[in-house]
Each structure stands twice: as structure tokens, then as C-alpha cells.
Amino acid sequence: MTGDLFQHVGDLKESARGLMRSGDYSAALDALSDAVTLLLDAHEQSGTSGAIDAGDVRRELAACYGILGNIFRRMGDPVQALAMFKRGAAYEDDVCENRTNAIILTLMMDPEQLDAIRPSVLEARAILQGQVADARRDDIWAWSDLGVMRLLSGQHEPGRAAFERVVALGAAPAARASIERLLGVLSEALADSAPETAQAIGVARRVLESA
């Protein structure tokens, strides 16, 4: 029964990703909504049934809300995207993809929130630091996220070093270009409210550009 649940959820997630890539956002949202409904029911049952692993359900909920956030972001609805990332973050136990997405999107929408969200930045930085020291030591996206969190928390030199690690790990040109775009948007957004941070982000971006 549990295996069937996760298989079905996995199929819905894969379908949603394909629909999102093709631009059929409405159908993608429907697929993810179905997956979330199944998982929320399973999460409620996990408290009374030993047959369902609550941790597995939470991980799947976090993943589904993350995809929903990306769909809304592609639809040009940052408010809904942020709401989905925050919901996903509530189910993250040992990862922080939704947390970092929520932090970055918050700053893109309102750069003056940097001081207010600093506790979240520090929390995400600590989680990512643990990950790159262990299971994700060779994951360019973990290093990239860590680099951003370091930069946003004032660790400018370690932040730049994280992006040097991204390059050293052999990040593909498309991946580097994606990270460069993100850093460019963040640097521009923070230019007025946090100029030193914006400048440090620009320096980190040049590490990727010169690779």
C-alpha cells in the first residue's frame, strides 16, 4: 500500500515536471494538487499507522510543494510561489531547498527584508554546511546554495570560495549560467539596501564567469 502511494506520487511529480516544461501550467498544478492531497491524507494517517513512514511522507510533501513553487514562479506569480516554498519548508527535516528558495524569492520581492530573514539565512547555511561536509560534498547545487547563504549572512570570502568549489566540481556551462543569472538578479536587487552584500555577490558571480 505504501509503495503504491509513493509510486503514484512519483508518477504525478514526473508528469507535473513534464507539463511544466511544456508550458501547460494548469495541468501541472492539477497533478501536483492530487499528489499533495494523497500525501496530506497519508501524513495524517502516519500518526496512527505504523505502515506509513512519516519521514518519507514529509520528504515527498516538501518536494511537491517545491515543484508547485517553481510552477507558480514560471507563471509569474511570486506571491503564490513564496507561499508554496514556505509550506514545503515546514516539511523539510534534513534538507533546505524550499528554505533557500523562499529566502531568495523574498529578497527579490523585497530586498529590505534581509535583516528580518537573517535567522532563516543562518539556519539554511548551517544545514547546507553539514550537507557539503557529508552526503552532498560533490553536489554543485548544494555548494551554490551554501555560497548564497554565506554571502547573505556576511561571510563574503567563504561565499566566494563556495562558488570556486562549484567550478572545481566541473559544473556544466548551463548550470553555471543558471547560477550566474541568479547571482545577477540578487546583486541587482540588493544594490540599494545592502550594497556591500551586492558587491560581494558580484565578485562571486565573476568567479563563475571567468571559469
Side-chain angles (χ1 to χ4, degrees):
M1 180 66 177
T2 304
D4 291 343
L5 167 67
F6 291 126
Q7 179 63 52
H8 188 30
V9 167
D11 291 343
L12 289 169
K13 285 164 52 185
E14 189 60 32
S15 175
R17 289 191 181 100
L19 291 164
M20 178 175 65
R21 287 191 292 267
S22 69
D24 192 347
Y25 299 129
S26 178
L29 289 174
D30 286 344
L32 262 297
S33 295
D34 289 346
V36 167
T37 297
L38 290 170
L39 290 166
L40 287 174
D41 288 344
H43 190 259
E44 185 174 345
Q45 295 173 29
S46 67
T48 58
S49 172
I52 300 176
D53 187 309
D56 289 342
V57 175
R58 289 174 64 83
R59 278 188 287 274
E60 288 295 332
L61 277 167
C64 286
Y65 279 121
I67 300 170
L68 282 167
N70 285 322
I71 293 171
F72 281 115
R73 187 157 54 180
R74 289 197 182 198
M75 292 173 66
D77 190 342
V79 174
Q80 275 294 97
L82 181 58
M84 294 300 105
F85 290 140
K86 286 183 175 180
R87 288 186 192 177
Y91 291 102
E92 289 180 331
D93 298 317
D94 53 2
V95 295
C96 60
E97 183 176 348
N98 282 296
R99 286 184 180 90
T100 55
N101 280 333
I103 288 166
I104 291 167
L105 190 52
T106 294
L107 294 175
M108 289 179 178
M109 295 168 63
D110 185 0
E112 295 193 2
Q113 289 293 310
L114 179 57
D115 285 340
I117 65 172
R118 191 169 300 277
S120 296
V121 173
L122 295 176
E123 180 184 19
R125 190 185 77 190
I127 293 171
L128 287 160
Q129 188 66 55
Q131 290 178 345
V132 300
D134 190 19
R136 300 183 70 191
R137 62 174 57 90
D138 296 326
D139 186 332
I140 64 165
W141 300 109
W143 280 102
S144 176
D145 285 345
L146 176 60
V148 172
M149 295 304 111
R150 284 175 172 175
L151 291 167
L152 293 177
S153 60
Q155 292 188 336
H156 296 165
E157 187 60 26
R160 182 186 61 77
F163 290 102
E164 290 179 344
R165 180 63 177 159
V166 170
V167 173
L169 286 170
R176 291 203 310 272
S178 176
I179 299 168
E180 286 173 29
R181 284 193 297 272
L182 169 63
L183 294 178
V185 171
L186 263 182
S187 179
E188 184 176 349
L190 294 167
D192 293 331
S193 60
E196 289 186 6
T197 299
Q199 183 178 9
I201 292 172
V203 170
R205 186 186 183 198
R206 286 192 287 277
V207 168
L208 297 168
E209 291 174 336
S210 61

